[in-house]
Amino acid sequence: MALYSEKVMDHFTNPRNVGVIENADGVGEVGNATCGDIMKIYLKINEDTISDVKFETFGCGSAIASSSMATEMIKGKSVEDALMLTNKAVAEALDGLPPHKMHCSVLAEEAIKEAVKDYYTKSGIAYDEALFPDLSHEEHHGG
Ligand SMILES: [Zn+2]
């Protein structure tokens, strides 16, 4: 029985949107301690539309596949749509992830939210704090 779907393997071996955007409008960086994944997402935003998105992920195959799929899913979408993207939707688009790897897809959702928050902050756009549940508290439990 294959542990990973073909889509996961495809996005892991041939990830889309890898790289850095110079002068990005929003950058989000998150990490998890469980597999040591670090994910950084760069957004280029044009009149509330994500005109370009790139990512750098140092981590396991699920984290790389999740970032690749997540960037594909938000490219060309509005900032509001990007905020609605859930890790479940990313995992479903990948035809599923093993249960113990679901947290890797959570990173993609969180990195996008952090990047949008960074964009709002940099652009002086008022936003609802409730859209951004505290993403940092998990990193602080003594490790
Ligand atoms: Zn991982």
Side-chain angles (χ1 to χ4, degrees):
M1 192 182 88
L3 198 53
Y4 294 107
S5 72
E6 272 176 42
K7 275 191 185 162
V8 173
M9 293 308 291
D10 176 35
H11 278 266
F12 169 56
T13 53
N14 181 26
R16 281 62 149 183
N17 307 311
V18 175
V20 175
I21 297 177
E22 302 292 340
N23 306 316
D25 296 303
V27 180
E29 186 172 6
V30 293
N32 80 42
T34 314
C35 11
D37 301 323
I38 300 168
M39 192 179 290
K40 200 164 179 181
I41 296 230
Y42 302 83
L43 299 177
K44 195 81 201 162
I45 294 165
N46 230 326
E47 290 177 4
D48 205 42
T49 297
I50 296 169
S51 55
D52 200 10
V53 49
K54 297 257 191 249
F55 78 89
E56 293 177 304
T57 293
F58 179 84
C60 70
S62 299
I64 291 166
S66 297
S67 344
S68 171
M69 180 56 88
T71 54
E72 285 284 276
M73 289 169 83
I74 64 166
K75 202 173 191 175
K77 298 279 172 61
S78 72
V79 173
E80 285 75 20
D81 283 345
L83 280 179
M84 309 270 273
L85 184 73
T86 63
N87 77 293
K88 260 184 106 175
V90 174
E92 272 166 25
L94 287 167
D95 289 339
L97 283 169
H100 67 288
K101 286 291 181 186
M102 281 303 285
H103 66 267
C104 309
S105 65
V106 173
L107 272 188
E109 176 188 333
E110 291 183 345
I112 288 167
K113 285 189 171 146
E114 282 291 306
V116 170
K117 192 176 172 184
D118 183 49
Y119 159 67
Y120 283 159
T121 306
K122 277 181 182 161
S123 317
I125 298 170
Y127 59 85
D128 183 356
E129 286 278 352
L131 285 172
F132 304 97
D134 187 4
L135 301 172
S136 55
H137 66 97
E138 280 226 282
E139 291 162 27
H140 298 307
H141 64 73

